[in-house]
Each structure stands twice: as structure tokens, then as C-alpha cells.
Amino acid sequence: VVPRVQITPLTGRLTYVMSLAALYALPLAAAAKKVPDAVPAAASVMGDVPVLSTLVDIALLRGATVMFCIMVGYATWAALKVRGLTPRNAFWGVTFLRGLLAAFGGGIVVPICLGKPPGPFANDMVVSAALVAWFIVQRFPGDYGFRLLGPKGILPLRLLCLFAFETFRANFVITMTELAFQTLKPSFFSIPLWGPLLAGSMAGSFGNFLPFDKGLGPIETGFSWPMISAFFISSTYLCLMHVPVVADPMWKGASFGIPNCERSAETVRVLSVGFLCVVGLLQETGMGPTWHPLKPLTSLLSAIVPPIVEEGPSAKAKKA
């Protein structure tokens, strides 16, 4: 249960964020160990805590049923955002395709860039999940899907949908980052750098740019949280798994303060899922959609690279 805390000063907010991150992410990461294929994951990982091992299996998308349910929740969250931007009397094909592109746009574009088949072609779960999500949000009898999950819906149901969204997104960002790392060859650096970072960033946020008639509109006023978080997770994964000069001290040190923490992609995946879910929870329960814990870094970047202010006619006249 998330404790109800009144957050006012900045230090209080940061303390609250860190405590929630520890509450949700660290126990899961402690259980995220590599398990041989021959051994059932739920029975092998933290067998003394079956609930925790089940949560780890969900966070790592283990099993086709778990994967599909999480994908439906992920696509439903994207479809909810599309509904607010599309007229209710729009042709059903428009609302469906917009939802598909919003949810899985990164899964279409990134594989094509890497010479692989796009998600809807490679995995039948993609279109199937998008269809189920479209029906829930757009055509459910009595419009109860949107009533229960929309902005004025039931908060616990919305949070379940949000957690599914962030769980799939964290895993997909890491999957595409690793795919790019394995596909691309080093060119300027000792490892492929910008290719994996761009692949992971696009995987977690490129749906914002689709369809392409949006142009660069989504970033005209700055990068949104999905874009920032996708780049953050992609870069964190790349550093922890493929940059020894960064990874070795971090894994060898306190191991994030987690007992029995293993140096594995599973650990990074679970930490990423926990991080995104905690941030999403805070955004939904009071902090607002524009808040995120990396804001000090983005503010610093904005201060280093400030926007160019155009001179008005009066200032130009004075110079003349």
C-alpha cells in the first residue's frame, strides 16, 4: 500500500520518491536472478516469497499469457491518449491505426532501421493486443471501458493499466537497445554507442511522432517524459552491461544496496520497470504529468543550452 504523505518542500518530494523506489524496485531486483530454462522461474526465484517471484516474472514478461496481458494494458494506455486527440465520429480504422502507431510505433520503425521485420509482422501479439485495446477504449458496450479507465475513471484500474504500460515499455527499450548493440558494429568508439542509444530512445517514445504528419511538433516545447525516460533507461542499460569502466565499479561496489544482486540484464530490467512504475504512480497521484525525477538534469541542460531570444523591432532599431 502506498503511504499517503503530504509533499510540499523539494527535499520531502525527493525523500518520498526515493523511499517509494526502494519499496517497489529493490525487493524485485533482489529476486531478478537468471534461471535455467529447465527450471520454472516462479519456483526458482525467491521461492520463499511466491508473491515476489510472481511479480518478478511479470516484470520480466515471462510466459506468453503474461506477455499478452501486459501488451493489452500497454496498448490500452496508449489508446486512452489517442481517444482524447481523435473525434468520436472518426472512422474506426483511423482510431485503430492511430492507437496501433501510438503504442507500437517504435516497434515498427526501430526494427526496420536495424534490418529486421517490424513488430506487427514479426509477432501476432502486437496487432491482437492493439485490437483488444481499441475495443476496450473505443467500442466497449456502454463506453464502460473508457469510463473505468479514462481520466475520470477508477484510480486502481488506471494504475494497473499504467503499470502494464511502463512494464512493457521498460522491457522493450532494453530489448531494442540490446538488439542494436548486437546488430551494429563499432565505428568510432570501441562499442556501438549512438545506434543503441537512439534505438532504445525511439523504441520507448517514437509513437509520439506517428503518424508522420505531426512532424517535430512533439518536441517543439521540449522533450516529454517518455522520451527522456527512454533515453535514460537505454543509456543506463548500455553503461551497466557494455561499458566496463562504468559497470565494473557499480556492480562490484554496493550492488545498488540489494542483497544477492546479480550482474545481469534481468536485474537492470526489473530496476527499470520499478523506476518507471514509481514515477508513473507519482505523476498519477498528485505530482502531475509534467513532473519527473530527472527534471534537475533537464533544467541544467536547458540552462547550458538556452533558447535563442529573437530581438524585437525596437531593439533592432536602437542598434541601427
Side-chain angles (χ1 to χ4, degrees):
V1 178
V2 180
R4 294 183 176 273
V5 180
Q6 176 139 11
I7 308 170
T8 45
L10 177 61
T11 54
R13 293 183 180 182
L14 293 176
T15 303
Y16 186 50
V17 171
M18 295 304 295
S19 64
L20 281 175
L23 178 65
Y24 285 94
L26 298 187
L28 293 180
K33 297 181 180 180
K34 279 191 175 180
V35 181
D37 294 338
V39 183
S44 305
V45 183
M46 294 292 287
D48 296 335
V49 191
V51 174
L52 191 59
S53 65
T54 300
L55 290 176
V56 169
D57 286 344
I58 293 172
L60 296 176
L61 305 179
R62 286 174 174 155
T65 302
V66 171
M67 169 76 84
F68 184 70
C69 291
I70 293 294
M71 287 178 72
V72 168
Y74 170 81
T76 299
W77 190 259
L80 288 170
K81 296 182 179 298
V82 168
R83 172 155 168 170
L85 303 173
T86 310
R88 286 295 292 143
N89 60 350
F91 173 55
W92 72 267
V94 172
T95 56
F96 168 68
L97 286 176
R98 282 188 178 274
L100 176 68
L101 292 174
F104 300 105
I108 295 172
V109 175
V110 175
I112 291 175
C113 292
L114 297 174
K116 309 292 183 182
F121 292 3
N123 189 345
D124 287 337
M125 285 188 184
V126 172
V127 176
S128 301
L131 278 169
V132 174
W134 170 84
F135 176 77
I136 292 172
V137 174
Q138 299 284 353
R139 291 293 188 269
F140 200 88
D143 204 23
Y144 280 108
F146 185 74
R147 290 183 183 182
L148 295 175
L149 298 172
K152 297 181 180 179
I154 299 175
L155 182 60
L157 294 180
R158 278 182 59 81
L159 290 179
L160 280 176
C161 198
L162 171 64
F163 291 161
F165 177 82
E166 296 296 18
T167 297
F168 184 82
R169 193 165 73 93
N171 278 278
F172 191 62
V173 166
I174 290 175
T175 297
M176 290 295 102
T177 303
E178 181 64 24
L179 177 63
F181 184 86
Q182 297 297 335
T183 302
L184 304 173
K185 295 181 180 179
S187 52
F188 186 65
F189 301 102
S190 59
I191 62 170
L193 178 63
W194 287 109
L197 289 179
L198 291 173
S201 302
M202 291 168 64
S205 63
F206 201 78
N208 293 309
F209 295 92
L210 299 177
F212 284 115
D213 59 0
K214 293 181 180 179
L216 297 178
I219 61 171
E220 282 184 352
T221 58
F223 294 112
S224 64
W225 172 241
M227 302 172 192
I228 295 169
S229 58
F231 181 80
F232 175 74
I233 289 176
S234 180
S235 57
T236 300
Y237 173 81
L238 195 65
C239 288
L240 290 178
M241 297 306 299
H242 297 294
V243 183
V245 69
V246 176
D248 289 345
M250 294 189 70
W251 288 108
K252 188 178 177 181
S255 293
F256 306 105
I258 306 169
N260 304 321
C261 178
E262 288 192 356
R263 178 172 181 167
S264 67
E266 284 82 358
T267 301
V268 183
R269 284 177 183 268
V270 172
L271 285 170
S272 300
V273 168
F275 173 70
L276 289 185
C277 286
V278 169
V279 174
L281 173 69
L282 293 175
Q283 290 175 336
E284 279 291 309
T285 56
M287 303 296 281
T290 60
W291 175 88
H292 59 82
L294 302 180
K295 213 153 196 176
L297 293 178
T298 57
S299 299
L300 177 62
L301 181 61
S302 298
I304 295 173
V305 190
I308 297 175
V309 180
E310 257 187 68
E311 293 182 344
S314 56
K316 289 181 180 179
K318 284 182 181 179
K319 282 188 175 181

